[in-house]
Amino acid sequence: SFYYYKPGVKLFLQAKDNESGLADIFINQNKKGYLPLNKIDQPIDSPGPKEIKILAIDKVTNLSQEIYLRFTVDAEPPVVDIELDTIPELNASKGLFCERDTMIRLSAFDLGSGVSKIEFRKHGQKVWRTYRDYPLVSRKKKKISLEYRAIDNLGNESPVKHFKCKVKDESTSISEQ
């Protein structure tokens, strides 16, 4: 389906009969049988694809044509990840070390409504910046400390992830003493 909604989506339906008048509207949600709209007038919270069929009946029992609605309730946040163009070195006592010109790329995917944006910030900052698919480079820094997340087209946010490493320079020794 091409339509995505957050949990809690509510149907607002209206039907009109100019001759005898409208008697009722019936809903068949996910092939569970038709029920009057007033019996199931509640938000749709469960995630996943939905198929809804709608019928109206007038006061002399004429049925309308069946209307189909298909959509997906998306409650899952995107998955976000970090990729480095070099392999950092791990030292048990000193932590992670990156090369001076390490390029950092962020990526995300979302199987539901799709990724709207990836955001990042330096650890401790309040303002998020939008990642624009260009590499972040560690030049002239002594350490890298990033937080990053992804947001899908419905506003579902991934958990914030953290990345930290010290930037190696010529004098940095990472061997154990």
Side-chain angles (χ1 to χ4, degrees), residues 2-176:
F2 295 102
Y3 298 100
Y4 292 90
Y5 298 97
K6 288 189 86 136
V9 64
K10 196 165 182 167
L11 296 176
F12 294 98
L13 302 173
Q14 188 175 353
K16 184 177 178 180
D17 185 299
N18 291 331
E19 301 296 320
S20 64
L22 179 69
D24 212 341
I25 299 174
F26 294 90
I27 305 290
N28 181 345
Q29 195 172 12
N30 295 323
K31 301 177 182 176
K32 293 181 181 173
Y34 279 96
L35 292 172
L37 177 62
N38 62 0
K39 299 270 190 211
I40 59 168
D41 191 22
Q42 54 190 318
I44 300 170
D45 289 320
S46 62
K50 307 295 175 209
E51 181 180 289
I52 296 175
K53 297 178 183 178
I54 305 161
L55 279 174
I57 189 168
D58 68 13
K59 291 182 179 177
V60 293
T61 67
N62 293 314
L63 284 175
S64 69
Q65 284 187 318
E66 199 170 46
I67 305 281
Y68 293 94
L69 292 175
R70 288 190 176 132
F71 60 92
T72 298
V73 174
D74 179 7
E76 290 296 316
V79 175
V80 65
D81 212 352
I82 192 166
E83 180 184 313
L84 308 176
D85 72 335
T86 60
I87 298 172
E89 295 178 38
L90 179 61
N91 178 284
S93 63
K94 296 181 183 179
L96 201 60
F97 285 84
C98 295
E99 297 294 330
R100 172 140 319 274
D101 291 329
T102 295
M103 287 195 281
I104 301 167
R105 290 192 180 274
L106 303 175
S107 62
F109 71 91
D110 184 81
L111 295 175
S113 63
V115 175
S116 170
K117 62 184 172 180
I118 301 172
E119 294 180 324
F120 70 98
R121 65 184 177 192
K122 288 181 183 177
H123 181 71
Q125 288 185 338
K126 292 185 180 190
V127 177
W128 289 97
R129 295 173 51 191
T130 300
Y131 178 72
R132 303 261 185 233
D133 201 32
Y134 53 84
L136 306 171
V137 183
S138 60
R139 285 185 207 116
K140 299 181 184 175
K141 294 186 168 64
K142 293 184 179 184
K143 67 178 181 174
I144 301 168
S145 184
L146 287 177
E147 296 177 329
Y148 54 101
R149 67 181 180 189
I151 302 171
D152 73 12
N153 287 308
L154 293 178
N156 296 316
E157 291 183 12
S158 69
V160 174
K161 289 189 172 181
H162 306 271
F163 176 76
K164 288 183 184 181
C165 76
K166 296 172 187 162
V167 177
K168 292 195 294 184
D169 62 25
E170 293 77 28
S171 64
T172 303
S173 171
I174 62 166
S175 61
E176 293 287 334

